[in-house]
């Protein structure tokens, strides 16, 4: 009776990231409802969430931002207490996710901005996070759009994770999850389930040691998941350094899962992990109370172990390696195993915190320009009044537009502001993530150039970038925006009078873009939207592309050797079958010229019949020519 209460302990419990798509809507709802009633947190997984759940007890407090960017919009991001960046997961470390086509129902397709029945492939994590600097930028992007949320980073328990965890803490994350190899949705490849990853115990202890040795442990919270099932698991995880605990398999079993590991086949016999309506309606028996009972029993068992150990609270337990002993082992091989490194802190002084001692881990970058934009525009946002503002910009000004987009989404959701209501004009060189998470009704106009990630995750509005009037260089021969622009965009328009870097439009699922050249991997994993390139592209165009379409100007007749023909095919648009696209292309080039003053675009308008012969239409093999424009 002197121990911390069950109510306090369950607040440290999270459900693991399981997407709506992998799970049935009923199972996902039940999990979220249970965790909210307990005071814990459920994790949306990487599949987005139905906006109808926002603001209700069915809302997931943890919203995941994975490499697939499925359903990640400003509206999604502002409805969260924790934003979790999924770098990798324990059951399949280093691999992107994949949702089989037969699980992409009309609901799932709508939430993920895709087409029903088409498989959805997440890019591998390195497609937008090449280094710790890129991860730091994504953390900053998320803190800009939702300043009240904590940012979490999910890592895999593998050798060396301590070094990564230290980098993540220095990149200003607020939480770190160490994910063990045990568990997973059952949709992972068999080789990953059986042979990849490491136990969470190894990753957690390494991360705890490295963070304490570098004076970083007091700045971040630590969580672990991957097969936790009982109160004893919670006790061991806390002793090894975890402050909160993620559960996946346990609450799934409580909801009726039989652990058949056929999640990927869409015929789950208990209706837990299927989108098939007949199976869900007939066999799913799960209720929030089942999950609540499970977690209450885990918390009660945790309290009993705390009583045996003589500690009154979880805080007294975290990192207390003196409370754990190494068993001698039952076999000769076990007896030769030296685990002493796992339960030793070496010469790290006891004064170094064993757990997080701050509320958050604020970035050094206070975003002064972004904050000033919010102050200047707040009255117009509140009253939906027309407003245009001008600012100089430098490359130290990062994630410009995100703070304003977050304020718009918080008030008006996905509807945003009326078209063209709020316009910001800039002069200079923009830093990374210009126009990230751009909201409807917000227009950003830049005379100059921009760094990487322009329009990342944009959901609406318009971004226009063009060179200075006194520029002496030809726009179509010069880079005006950097790498990985329009990554995961769900809507809006981007017009850039110049060339883009590599990986332009990766996972684009709804935005229209007009640019004048692109590097390698353009339109990779694209599921919707339109990309028009008024110049040459690099190699591997359209790899993994399952939706949307593109136009590429190819005067030197090289494109046929540069695109990836696995999932897309190409057509010249000067014949009868593709003639309907001539007017569409002409209209978009005209808009490009109107907004940017593009010299190349103007020449195409004036002599369109000469240029149109060199344009390729790129479309998914699964789509018909007639259906594209209608979609």
């Amino acid at each position: 009776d002197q121990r911390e209460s069950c109510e306090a302990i369950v607040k440290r419990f999270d459900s693991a990231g399981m997407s709506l798509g992998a799970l049935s809507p009923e199972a996902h709802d039940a999990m979220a409802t249970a965790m909210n009633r307990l005071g814990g947190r459920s994790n949306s997984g990487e599949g987005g969430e139905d906006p109808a759940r926002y603001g209700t007890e069915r809302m997931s407090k943890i919203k995941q931002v994975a490499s697939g960017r499925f359903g990640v919009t400003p509206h999604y991001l502002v409805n969260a207490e924790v934003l979790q960046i999924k770098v990798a997961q324990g059951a399949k470390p280093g691999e992107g996710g994949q949702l089989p086509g037969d699980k992409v129902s009309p609901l799932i397709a709508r939430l993920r901005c895709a087409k029903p029945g088409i498989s959805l492939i997440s890019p591998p994590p390195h497609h937008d996070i090449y280094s710790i600097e890129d991860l730091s930028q994504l953390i900053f992007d998320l803190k800009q759009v939702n300043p009240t949320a904590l940012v979490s980073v999910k890592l895999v328990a593998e050798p060396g994770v301590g070094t990564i965890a230290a980098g993540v803490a220095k990149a200003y994350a607020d939480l770190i999850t160490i994910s063990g190899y045990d568990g997973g949705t059952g949709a992972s490849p068999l080789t990953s389930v059986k042979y990849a990853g490491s136990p969470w115990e190894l990753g957690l202890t390494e991360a705890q040691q490295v963070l304490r040795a570098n004076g970083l442990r007091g700045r971040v919270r630590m969580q672990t998941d991957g097969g936790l099932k009982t109160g004893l698991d919670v006790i061991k995880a806390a002793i090894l350094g975890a402050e909160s605990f993620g559960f996946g398999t346990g609450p799934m079993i409580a909801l009726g899962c039989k652990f058949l590991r056929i999640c990927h086949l869409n015929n789950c016999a208990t209706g837990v992990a299927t989108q098939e309506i007949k199976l869900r309606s007939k066999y799913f028996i799960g209720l929030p109370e089942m999950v609540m009972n499970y977690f209450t029993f885990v918390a009660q068992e945790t309290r009993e172990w705390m009583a045996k150990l003589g500690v009154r609270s979880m805080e007294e337990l975290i990192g207390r390696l003196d409370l754990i002993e190494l068993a001698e082992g039952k076999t000769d091989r076990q007896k030769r195993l030296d685990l002493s490194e796992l339960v030793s802190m070496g010469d790290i002084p006891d004064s170094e915190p064993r757990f997080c001692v701050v509320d958050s881990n604020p970035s050094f970058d206070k975003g002064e320009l972004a904050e000033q934009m919010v102050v200047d525009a707040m009255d117009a946002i509140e009253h939906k009044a027309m407003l245009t503002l001008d600012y100089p910009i430098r490359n130290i000004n990062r994630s410009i537009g995100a703070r304003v987009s977050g304020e718009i989404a918080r008030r008006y959701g996905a509807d945003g502001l009326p078209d063209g209501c709020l316009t910001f004009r800039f002069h200079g060189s923009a830093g990374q993530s210009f126009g990230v998470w751009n909201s409807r009704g917000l227009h950003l106009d830049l005379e100059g150039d921009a760094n990487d990630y322009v329009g990342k995750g944009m959901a609406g509005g318009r971004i226009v970038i063009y060179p200075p009037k006194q520029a002496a260089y030809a726009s179509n021969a010069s880079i005006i925006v950097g790498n990985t622009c329009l990554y995961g965009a769900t809507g809006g328009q981007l017009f850039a009078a110049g060339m883009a870097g590599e990986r332009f439009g990766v996972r684009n699922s709804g935005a229209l873009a007009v640019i004048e050249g692109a590097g390698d991997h353009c339109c990779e994993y694209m599921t919707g939207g339109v990309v028009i390139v008024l110049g040459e592209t690099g190699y591997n165009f359209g790899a993994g592309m399952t939706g949307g379409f593109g136009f590429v100007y190819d005067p030197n007749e090289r494109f046929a050797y540069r695109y990836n023909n696995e999932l897309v095919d190409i057509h010249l648009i000067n014949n009868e079958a593709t003639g309907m696209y001539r007017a569409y292309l002409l209209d978009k080039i005209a808009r490009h010229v109107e907004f940017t003053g593009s010299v190349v675009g103007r020449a195409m308008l004036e002599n369109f019949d000469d240029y149109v012969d060199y344009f390729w239409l790129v479309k998914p093999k699964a789509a018909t020519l007639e259906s594209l424009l209608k979609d």
Side-chain angles (χ1 to χ4, degrees):
D1 59 0
Q2 297 178 33
R3 311 304 143 192
E4 191 171 356
S5 68
C6 279
E7 292 75 17
I9 291 174
V10 294
K11 290 179 180 179
R12 295 179 178 269
F13 295 165
D14 294 343
S15 67
M18 296 174 285
S19 71
L20 178 56
L23 301 189
S24 67
E26 293 81 5
H28 210 266
D29 272 24
M31 190 77 73
T33 300
M35 299 311 295
N36 286 331
R37 289 178 183 174
L38 287 168
R41 291 169 172 155
S42 66
N43 190 320
S44 69
E46 65 168 297
E49 188 172 85
D50 193 336
R53 292 167 57 174
Y54 297 165
T56 72
E57 69 171 1
R58 300 184 296 129
M59 185 185 83
S60 294
K61 292 179 181 177
I62 304 173
K63 297 287 198 297
Q64 207 170 68
V65 180
S67 62
R69 295 291 195 275
F70 294 118
V72 177
T73 65
H75 192 203
Y76 173 86
L77 294 171
V78 298
N79 283 280
E81 291 183 7
V82 176
L83 297 170
Q84 183 179 79
I85 300 168
K86 177 185 170 186
V87 174
Q89 69 183 56
K92 45 182 176 182
E95 301 172 17
Q98 181 164 347
L99 192 68
D102 55 5
K103 296 192 80 168
V104 184
S105 66
L107 169 66
I108 303 306
R110 175 171 63 83
L111 298 181
R112 297 193 179 211
C113 305
K115 303 287 188 298
I118 302 295
S119 293
L120 295 176
I121 310 163
S122 295
H126 69 265
H127 279 47
D128 72 316
I129 300 175
Y130 303 99
S131 65
I132 201 70
E133 287 85 1
D134 295 317
L135 179 61
S136 177
Q137 179 59 44
L138 181 52
I139 291 170
F140 186 74
D141 296 337
L142 295 174
K143 289 191 173 188
Q144 283 287 292
V145 73
N146 187 352
T148 63
L150 299 175
V151 176
S152 168
V153 176
K154 186 175 184 180
L155 303 174
V156 164
E158 286 196 322
V161 71
T163 303
I164 306 301
V168 167
K170 292 177 182 178
Y172 305 104
D174 304 298
L175 300 97
I176 296 173
T177 294
I178 305 294
S179 188
Y181 72 107
D182 198 13
T185 63
S188 303
L190 196 61
T191 51
S192 294
V193 172
K194 289 185 174 294
Y195 307 116
S198 301
W200 59 261
E201 292 90 341
L202 297 178
L204 179 61
T205 51
E206 181 180 337
Q208 177 80 346
Q209 291 166 1
V210 174
L211 289 172
R212 289 193 69 205
N214 286 276
L216 299 167
R217 184 63 182 89
R219 287 167 48 174
V220 291
R221 294 168 176 81
M222 286 255 287
Q223 181 183 88
T224 194
D225 70 20
L228 299 183
K229 298 178 181 68
T230 67
L232 182 57
D233 291 335
V234 171
I235 293 292
K236 290 178 181 178
I239 290 174
L240 293 177
E243 287 151 286
S244 65
F245 315 90
F247 293 79
T249 303
M252 293 293 294
I253 298 292
L255 282 174
C257 167
K258 300 295 185 186
F259 212 62
L260 302 175
R261 286 204 178 275
I262 55 171
C263 311
H264 58 296
L265 299 179
N266 201 37
N267 61 358
C268 171
T270 58
V272 172
T274 178
Q275 302 305 318
E276 180 57 57
I277 294 176
K278 291 181 180 178
L279 293 172
R280 287 157 43 196
S281 60
K282 187 172 183 180
Y283 298 113
F284 181 70
I285 59 165
L287 296 171
E289 289 77 11
M290 297 174 173
V291 176
M292 295 170 69
N293 287 343
Y294 168 72
F295 279 120
T296 302
F297 279 119
V298 172
Q300 181 60 28
E301 187 191 354
T302 301
R303 295 180 73 243
E304 293 168 3
W305 279 103
M306 289 165 66
K308 292 179 183 179
L309 291 168
V311 293
R312 288 181 170 80
S313 67
M314 291 295 292
E315 206 163 88
E316 289 181 32
L317 191 64
I318 299 165
R320 286 282 303 278
L321 294 178
D322 57 298
L323 296 177
I324 200 165
E325 287 182 6
L326 294 178
E328 183 180 344
K330 298 178 180 179
T331 67
D332 288 340
R333 292 186 71 187
Q334 288 179 356
K335 290 176 181 178
R336 292 197 299 271
L337 191 60
D338 182 7
L339 298 177
S340 58
E341 289 294 319
L342 300 183
V343 294
S344 169
M345 281 293 159
D347 56 0
I348 300 173
D350 291 338
S351 59
E352 196 60 48
R354 294 178 283 108
F355 48 81
C356 186
V357 294
V358 297
D359 292 332
S360 63
N361 189 7
S363 171
F364 78 95
D365 187 342
K366 305 309 175 191
E368 288 89 351
L369 176 58
E371 296 299 329
Q372 186 61 49
M373 289 166 58
V374 172
V375 171
D376 295 344
M378 186 53 73
D379 193 56
I381 294 172
E382 295 281 7
H383 298 95
K384 295 186 177 181
M386 300 288 286
L387 180 67
T388 299
L389 296 167
D390 285 78
Y391 301 92
I393 194 169
R394 296 169 57 198
N395 63 4
I396 61 171
N397 302 127
R398 301 184 295 152
S399 307
I400 293 302
R403 276 287 285 117
V404 174
S405 291
E407 295 296 336
I408 294 170
R410 206 177 290 278
R411 286 160 178 76
Y412 307 115
D415 294 335
L417 293 171
D419 186 45
C421 180
L422 188 57
T423 300
F424 292 97
R425 291 187 176 139
F426 302 93
H427 311 274
S429 293
Q432 289 186 319
S433 295
F434 181 76
V436 63
W437 321 122
N438 209 60
S439 197
R440 289 185 180 178
L442 177 60
H443 290 184
L444 304 180
D445 190 303
L446 171 62
E447 181 181 348
D449 57 10
N451 214 308
D452 298 340
Y453 302 128
V454 172
K456 179 202 296 184
M458 74 180 294
R462 187 169 68 222
I463 300 172
V464 177
I465 305 175
Y466 50 91
K469 293 180 175 61
Q470 68 273 20
Y473 50 83
S475 65
N476 65 320
S478 304
I479 298 286
I480 198 168
V481 295
N483 297 319
T484 326
C485 299
L486 226 63
Y487 188 101
T490 58
Q493 301 174 341
L494 168 64
F495 297 92
M499 298 173 64
E502 299 194 350
R503 298 197 191 283
F504 183 88
V506 173
R507 261 295 296 142
N508 176 28
S509 59
L512 164 70
V514 183
I515 55 175
E516 298 180 0
D520 296 342
H521 316 295
C522 186
C523 296
E524 199 172 13
Y525 299 105
M526 190 162 134
T527 62
V530 182
V531 172
I532 300 173
V533 186
L534 307 181
E536 293 198 356
T537 70
Y539 291 97
N540 204 37
F541 188 103
M545 177 177 167
T546 59
F549 61 98
F551 295 98
V552 177
Y553 178 58
D554 183 30
N556 298 315
E557 300 182 350
R558 296 173 180 169
F559 184 68
Y561 306 100
R562 292 183 171 179
Y563 83 104
N564 187 310
N565 63 7
E566 185 177 2
L567 293 178
V568 300
D569 51 28
I570 61 176
H571 304 265
L572 290 170
I573 66 167
N574 60 352
N575 58 44
E576 186 176 339
T578 55
M580 69 186 91
Y581 293 95
R582 287 172 57 105
Y584 181 88
L585 177 61
L586 186 63
D587 175 66
K588 297 303 177 271
I589 295 175
R591 290 175 65 82
H592 180 64
V593 173
E594 176 189 351
F595 296 135
T596 69
S598 168
V599 175
V600 171
R602 191 175 302 279
M604 289 182 174
L605 290 182
E606 294 171 352
N607 302 279
F608 190 67
D609 286 338
D610 296 333
Y611 282 91
V612 73
D613 290 342
Y614 296 98
F615 271 97
W616 292 100
L617 169 69
V618 185
K619 73 166 191 66
K621 291 180 178 179
T624 64
L625 285 168
E626 292 73 20
S627 69
L628 290 178
L629 282 179
K630 183 172 64 176
D631 290 343

